Amino acid sequence: MLAEVVTAAAWSTPYSFAQDSISSLGVTTCEVGSCSPMHDVMNSTFVALGVLTLLGALFLHRHIRSGREKKWILSLAVIIAASTAATGLFPANDGTIIHWSAVLPGFVARHAVLVLIAWHLWHEKRLVALWSALCALVGLVGAGLMLGRALHFGLGERLALYPLPMWMAVTGTAVLMALARRTVFRNVEFSLRAFHPGVWPRVWTARPQTPPRPSRRSLA
């Protein structure tokens, strides 16, 4: 999203986030109504997002139980990663067929993978499942409005495409925070307890105790 703002700011003609497509930010030629001087920023971002999506998929598979659904989720994530990277490698001015061949697989797979994740985690991680279902619903509604031309193309496209990166950012942050609590924070807490005077064994401060003297009865 930040790359879109930076790239759009460099346009000589006004760029409309509501009407113009995201792909217009990556065109490498300068034509009437479509001239993106900083197209390298946008195309590099597409490639980087594809790589991050692939890394996220490899990390996600550890948190999904084995089975057919796991294979489908990973396969769809790989398709999304490849499609996103290909969007930057084949800009819109390379030809409609080439560009849409790169974009379309990821456009379809991104909604399917969110629905599948929500279904898969419903009984195990209800909060993540609800978050996934919400993102899938927003994306599907956006795709329907875009294809039905009920909204401007740029607005409908963003409504359809933004939910997945948002899901990745929020879910990834939550996973990292949970991992930090289990490792870093726990080690810090252990260290603080170790240096707290109250936890040191009393043997360090207590005087050695002398054995009790035998009573007269025991001697008798």
Side-chain angles (χ1 to χ4, degrees), residues 96-107:
T96 304
I97 296 178
I98 297 177
H99 182 69
W100 277 103
S101 296
V103 172
L104 192 58
F107 186 87

Side-chain angles (χ1 to χ4, degrees), residues 43-183:
N43 292 329
S44 299
T45 301
F46 283 136
V47 176
L49 183 58
V51 174
L52 289 175
T53 303
L54 182 60
L55 293 176
L58 295 176
F59 183 77
L60 180 65
H61 87 280
R62 300 180 180 181
H63 302 273
I64 300 178
R65 64 179 184 274
S66 300
R68 184 179 300 177
E69 293 178 356
K70 180 176 182 177
K71 296 179 180 179
W72 273 106
I73 291 174
L74 294 179
S75 299
L76 290 171
V78 171
I79 292 174
I80 296 168
S83 177
T84 304
T87 302
L89 297 175
F90 302 100
N93 57 285
D94 284 349
T96 304
I97 296 178
I98 297 177
H99 182 69
W100 277 103
S101 296
V103 172
L104 192 58
F107 186 87
V108 176
R110 66 199 310 114
H111 308 301
V113 74
L114 288 174
V115 172
L116 195 56
I117 290 174
W119 175 269
H120 185 75
L121 298 178
W122 182 256
H123 296 290
E124 298 178 5
K125 299 179 180 179
R126 186 65 58 88
L127 185 60
V128 179
L130 289 173
W131 167 239
S132 304
L134 177 62
C135 291
L137 178 62
V138 173
L140 289 171
V141 170
L145 294 175
M146 183 191 70
L147 296 175
R149 298 182 179 181
L151 293 175
H152 292 297
F153 184 85
L155 185 59
E157 183 185 29
R158 286 172 171 82
L159 194 60
L161 298 182
Y162 278 3
L164 181 61
M166 288 295 296
W167 182 90
M168 292 171 56
V170 174
T171 306
T173 302
V175 171
L176 291 176
M177 288 298 296
L179 184 62
R181 285 196 210 97
R182 296 176 183 176
T183 56

